[in-house]
Amino acid sequence: MTNRKLIAGNWKMNGSLAANEVLVKALLQGADSAPACDVVLCVPAPYLGQVQALVADSHLALGSQDVSAQTHGAYTGEKSATMLKDFGVRYAIVGHSERRQYHGETDETVAAKAAAALGAGITPIVCVGETLAERDAGQTEEVVKRQLAAVIHVNGHCISEIVVAYEPVWAIGTGKTASPGQAQAVHALLRTQLHHASSEHAPGIRILYGGSMNAANAAELLAQPDIDGGLIGGASLKAPDFLQIIAAAR
Ligand code: 13P
């Protein structure tokens, strides 16, 4: 089974009103109005309203880079899934390694965030991935399985609604991409784990690769049987590069 691919841009903490407008307009002009894949832009929260207006009635979907595990209340600085939904957000990244590393997010927090997104009808893009030290210690399989297991444990009943992203931490922003074979090996074991959770739904759950995916290496990565798309950081900020990645996803 081949899934329709999903190409997600993660702008991280980059952009401005002026730069966002230029970038989104270039993406709208440059892309086929009916691309062969789904495309989502995960933008910084302050720009959700701006980008919502820019992508209205287009093939580009809007995404968030995080979501609160809570529904409302005294959680200063947080944004709830229903607030994101108000801005037309369709996807939310949860458990990005930068959130795990700099904001102390645990596997349990990530699972709760995925549940909050699902509760509001937002598709969580659940990130998993090992650090270089963990890979060198031969712990890759154990780490990604533990991270995904926490999410399955809480969200097993609606597992078909999630997207998984394998992002080896050592490949993020470093220019060191996992080889297609390295990535495929981890994707295959994540697929097997999803299969144990739901043999019915596992084949249709999209597993994205992220970590220095770019215009030059996207096609080969996306050709792997269990790579159903990409989560792209740096290259998603450059319209020509992101457009080439979108064109490679078919
Ligand atoms: P880069 O594409 O910049 O390596 O970032 C990957 C990433 O973290 C996407 O979420």
Side-chain angles (χ1 to χ4, degrees), residues 10 22 91 118 144 198 204 219 250:
N10 175 9
V22 171
Y91 297 86
L118 289 164
V144 298
S198 169
R250 50 187 64 251

Side-chain angles (χ1 to χ4, degrees), residues 12-94:
K12 308 195 179 183
M13 198 169 73
N14 294 292
S16 65
L17 285 172
N20 301 345
E21 186 169 340
V22 171
L23 175 57
V24 176
K25 286 190 170 163
L27 294 176
L28 289 170
Q29 273 166 15
D32 195 327
S33 58
C37 62
D38 294 330
V39 183
V40 54
L41 307 179
C42 298
V43 310
Y47 298 125
L48 284 170
Q50 181 204 15
V51 179
Q52 179 188 26
L54 286 167
V55 302
D57 302 319
S58 80
H59 62 282
L60 298 176
L62 186 60
S64 168
Q65 298 175 9
D66 183 32
V67 58
S68 175
Q70 313 297 333
T71 54
H72 65 279
Y75 300 100
T76 302
E78 293 281 79
K79 33 221 165 285
S80 74
T82 50
M83 292 172 186
L84 297 173
K85 192 78 184 167
D86 265 350
F87 285 87
V89 164
R90 304 243 312 267
Y91 297 86
I93 298 171
V94 298

Side-chain angles (χ1 to χ4, degrees), residues 24-236:
V24 176
K25 286 190 170 163
L27 294 176
L28 289 170
Q29 273 166 15
D32 195 327
S33 58
C37 62
D38 294 330
V39 183
V40 54
L41 307 179
C42 298
V43 310
Y47 298 125
L48 284 170
Q50 181 204 15
V51 179
Q52 179 188 26
L54 286 167
V55 302
D57 302 319
S58 80
H59 62 282
L60 298 176
L62 186 60
S64 168
Q65 298 175 9
D66 183 32
V67 58
S68 175
Q70 313 297 333
T71 54
H72 65 279
Y75 300 100
T76 302
E78 293 281 79
K79 33 221 165 285
S80 74
T82 50
M83 292 172 186
L84 297 173
K85 192 78 184 167
D86 265 350
F87 285 87
V89 164
R90 304 243 312 267
Y91 297 86
I93 298 171
V94 298
H96 192 280
S97 62
E98 288 149 17
R99 305 270 337 156
R100 293 179 190 260
Q101 187 180 353
Y102 305 132
H103 300 271
E105 291 192 6
T106 63
D107 294 340
E108 289 66 36
T109 318
V110 175
K113 288 184 169 203
L118 289 164
I122 292 173
T123 301
I125 300 176
V126 175
C127 300
V128 301
E130 80 288 3
T131 63
L132 184 58
E134 289 163 343
R135 174 162 282 263
D136 288 346
Q139 294 167 344
T140 300
E141 179 166 346
E142 173 191 334
V143 169
V144 298
K145 277 190 171 170
R146 189 201 71 223
Q147 291 171 333
L148 184 57
V151 173
I152 293 173
H153 179 68
V154 174
N155 302 283
H157 56 290
C158 44
I159 203 67
S160 63
E161 305 305 313
I162 74 166
V163 169
V164 177
Y166 170 54
E167 295 209 310
V169 179
W170 48 270
I172 295 177
T174 57
K176 279 189 213 146
T177 317
S179 70
Q182 277 175 323
Q184 166 58 27
V186 177
H187 281 234
L189 67 89
L190 293 171
R191 182 85 62 203
T192 301
Q193 190 177 2
L194 291 167
H195 197 82
H196 291 314
S198 169
S199 53
E200 182 192 350
H201 295 300
I205 298 175
R206 292 188 285 194
I207 309 178
L208 316 183
Y209 169 79
S212 299
M213 190 187 264
N214 59 37
N217 62 26
E220 206 188 344
L221 285 160
L222 293 168
Q224 301 301 310
D226 288 297
I227 301 188
D228 306 309
L231 181 53
I232 295 110
S236 75

Side-chain angles (χ1 to χ4, degrees), residues 1-5 203 225 228 250:
M1 164 169 182
T2 319
N3 291 314
R4 183 174 166 87
K5 293 199 166 39
D228 306 309
R250 50 187 64 251

